[in-house]
Amino acid sequence: MEHITGTVERITFYNDENHYGVIRIKAEEKFPTIEGPDGTITVVGVLPGINVGETVRFSGAWVTDPRYGKQFKAETLTPVTPSTEIGIVNYLASGIVKGIGAKTARKIVDHFGTETLNVLDREPLRLHEVPGLKRELARDLALAWQENQAIRQTMIFLQGYGVTSKMAARIFKFYGAAAIATVKENPYALADEVNGIGFIRADEIAQNMGLPADAHYRIRAGLVYALNQMTKEGHVYMPRLELVNKAMEMLKIDNVGRVQASLSQETLAGNLIIDANIGDGALGMEAVYLPLFYHAERKVVRLLREQVSEESDIRRHVKGLKWAKFLKDLAEFNEVDLTEQQQSAVRAALEHKVTVLTGGPGTGKTTTLRMVIHALDSLKHKFALASPTGRAAKRLAEATGYPAKTIHRLLGWTPGEGFVYDEDQPLEIDMLIVDEASMIDLLLFNDLLKALPPNAHLMLVGDVDQLPSVGAGNVLRDVIDSGVGYVTRLNAIFRQSNTSHIIVNAHRINQGEAPLTDNNSADFFYFGEDDPARAAELVVDIVKNRLPTKFGVDPINDVQVIAPMYRGVIGVNALNEALQRTLNGDKRMAEKVLGGRAFRVGDKVMQTRNNYEKDVFNGDIGRLVEIDFEEQAFGIDIDGSFVMYDWTEADQLIHAYAISTHRSQGSEYPVVVMPIMTQHYMMLQRNLLYTAVTRAKKLVVLVGSRRAVQMAVENNKVAERYSGLLQLLRG
């Protein structure tokens, strides 16, 4: 890390929300090749409390901006207190308090001399002694000085323990003047309370402060962190002994008694919950929950049981209905043929409060779903359509011809406030139909059920053989296995042709058979390559040259690379870099590097979480069409809508030339290219390969090793998720 000290000459840009600034300083050391005509250089970064006229020591690194040239990117900053009277005058007149200019500052310094700053620090009320200084101005200066010094002292204190100025600003924003006392008492409070500061960062601060490795605060935070990490892997709870061992391994301590004691204390305090009735009942296998997941699981069970037991207007309406004639007329009116299984599914949706419709591609899920909707329409019952993601909701609307929303939008999600619709204000509908239900996790399912009127029907539609939700739980599979609702599994394949292998191969994979890789179809191709580096080069060549030449597809808009893993030469990250370099590597295009990632005009990017203010959703893909260096923003075209992103919001975006299989869920792409190597063995599962293949509408290309394909097909062991939902529903 490099250092530079200088006096702030002017502030070119400053964001009060996140404290990001662009300033010009006159450095004590000369930099002839970097300085502007006025002898100043540019410093950028999170610069809280910075003012013109003060001297500051910055730590960071030199970076080169494609538009503005060489700049110093500051990671930490330490104000250097001025020691001369002229320095103090300049500092006070720098704008720290509105209304104090050079003349007023000179009055104060003439009275207190070089002790001025000490007086402001320790006896600010003495400002009233200054001859001719208005009382209101003296009060404003005292208050402003205290606030300014609080953030500076916090910054200096935290930076002393390895905290960047960006992180320190976030901490101060949350705690205010109490930041130092809070961190001194329990640095792990940061992980619980401050957004963006997890256990790892809090632990670094604590270790730098000299906190003992086996301190209760640390073990307690480690247990919660370990449990949180497991929920990110899909688990709702952890067996007690497994959690203790994981925490000991992560904390690098070897004292099982102390960890068990901390776990007991956290349970008594209500910060963790243990349920000995969940699991196999063996000693040490008791289920340990975070309270959020414990209560959500039990709420889901209660609400589902209530849903099933309540009568409904739909059921009353269809009692005595002549089903054969009704279903025949429905099919004829909509010009479709329904199998007996499909007819049974339509009838079940109207006669049962909770139903599930599942099946693979081409088995008629969408046709059946449309018939349920037309039946509701003909019977004049109000319904709503929803999906977990924006792209899935858009597909649902296109497939049915009726409006569909994300679950969050349907329930009226407001950032910072939660959902509008819940048990106190339920949705005004007779049936809720949710597509891509395999993506629903436990917490979202809980919110959905809370907003559903007890007399309404619930229909879950999805392919249970796809990957489970990214979030904790395995909701669709647990609901199916529990028997709580009526389940229809469609298995007859309708949508296929003699020259099409996508659907055939999807079903072969799902049944444990190797896909046909003889390249004798019009839509499924395999390129063998065992070397990862050469396979990566082949993927790029296929996307850039072979597919556009043979099929006339656009390599960016039409082709989606889906990789099983993020790391490695043929992982998501490396492929994104290679594809960006190949498909959008013109250095004449405007570019901005943020967080080590180069965003370039023309880039393919994906939104990674729902943003209702921008009306963009997790999984939405767009093209970066503008970089505004003055406003420090990106302009992105998402499905024809122009959306602006402040540079500080870039963490919502990832490059999307290549994405993970989980990221592809709920979406369809004209062409899917998937590398599959034995090096991906950790992720080679049948449902992963099946999910990737079923994302393609027109064309699938597999690149890699036949052995890897076989490994995936043969591995049907769905990763076990610790969840009590099935056990509770059956219980």
Side-chain angles (χ1 to χ4, degrees), residues 246-264:
K246 185 173 180 64
M248 288 170 59
E249 178 186 355
M250 184 189 69
L251 297 170
K252 295 182 174 59
I253 58 176
D254 189 18
N255 189 334
V256 66
R258 192 157 177 79
V259 177
Q260 290 277 23
S262 290
L263 176 55
S264 297

Side-chain angles (χ1 to χ4, degrees), residues 165-177:
S165 55
K166 182 178 182 179
M167 200 190 307
R170 190 178 295 164
I171 293 169
F172 183 82
K173 185 175 182 180
F174 187 86
Y175 292 113

Side-chain angles (χ1 to χ4, degrees), residues 547 558-562 668-674 692-702:
L547 286 170
D558 296 333
V559 182
Q560 185 58 61
V561 176
I562 299 176
E668 281 187 344
Y669 313 98
V671 182
V672 166
V673 177
M674 184 185 193
V693 168
T694 55
R695 299 308 89 208
K697 290 191 287 187
K698 298 179 180 177
L699 201 64
V700 170
V701 181
L702 297 184

Side-chain angles (χ1 to χ4, degrees), residues 207-227:
Q207 296 299 294
N208 289 337
M209 292 173 65
L211 197 74
D214 62 351
H216 168 65
Y217 277 141
R218 184 167 188 261
I219 296 174
R220 175 257 163 206
L223 286 164
V224 172
Y225 175 71
L227 204 43

Side-chain angles (χ1 to χ4, degrees), residues 635-690:
I636 297 177
D637 182 348
I638 299 178
D639 292 330
S641 298
F642 187 75
V643 184
M644 291 300 294
Y645 285 78
D646 189 89
W647 287 352
T648 60
E649 299 172 314
D651 61 343
Q652 298 181 32
L653 300 170
I654 58 172
H655 288 87
Y657 299 98
I659 60 175
S660 70
T661 315
H662 264 115
R663 290 276 183 205
S664 73
Q665 281 186 277
S667 300
E668 281 187 344
Y669 313 98
V671 182
V672 166
V673 177
M674 184 185 193
I676 182 163
M677 311 291 295
T678 54
Q679 286 77 7
H680 295 148
Y681 69 93
M682 291 284 291
M683 297 297 292
L684 292 183
Q685 296 172 359
R686 187 183 298 176
N687 59 358
L688 181 136
L689 178 58
Y690 174 75

Side-chain angles (χ1 to χ4, degrees), residues 339-460:
T339 65
E340 286 188 14
Q341 196 180 30
Q342 288 174 310
Q343 291 180 46
S344 174
V346 174
R347 179 173 178 174
L350 302 176
E351 287 189 327
H352 294 265
K353 291 293 300 301
V354 176
T355 55
V356 177
L357 178 65
T358 187
T363 56
K365 286 198 306 295
T366 302
T367 300
T368 308
L369 171 58
R370 279 201 296 257
M371 290 308 100
V372 172
I373 293 170
H374 290 314
L376 291 167
D377 230 1
S378 68
L379 296 169
K380 308 299 182 189
H381 285 289
K382 193 173 180 182
F383 60 90
L385 305 178
S387 287
T389 68
R391 288 181 78 85
K394 185 178 179 182
R395 283 179 52 214
L396 179 60
E398 291 170 350
T400 61
Y402 288 83
K405 298 178 179 180
T406 64
I407 295 173
H408 279 76
R409 183 167 286 284
L410 177 71
L411 304 188
W413 171 258
T414 304
E417 297 180 19
F419 291 106
V420 171
Y421 294 100
D422 54 20
E423 285 181 285
D424 296 325
Q425 186 177 344
L427 295 162
E428 295 180 3
I429 55 174
D430 298 315
M431 181 182 285
L432 175 61
I433 299 172
V434 183
D435 196 19
E436 296 290 353
S438 63
M439 300 175 68
I440 300 176
D441 61 36
L442 175 71
L443 297 183
L444 184 57
F445 196 47
N446 181 39
D447 290 321
L448 185 148
L449 290 176
K450 285 192 291 187
L452 198 61
N455 64 346
H457 289 226
L458 173 65
M459 183 180 187
L460 301 176

Side-chain angles (χ1 to χ4, degrees), residues 29-45:
E29 184 181 351
K30 292 299 178 184
F31 298 91
T33 60
I34 301 171
E35 293 174 0
D38 58 355
T40 63
I41 61 174
T42 301
V43 176
V44 299

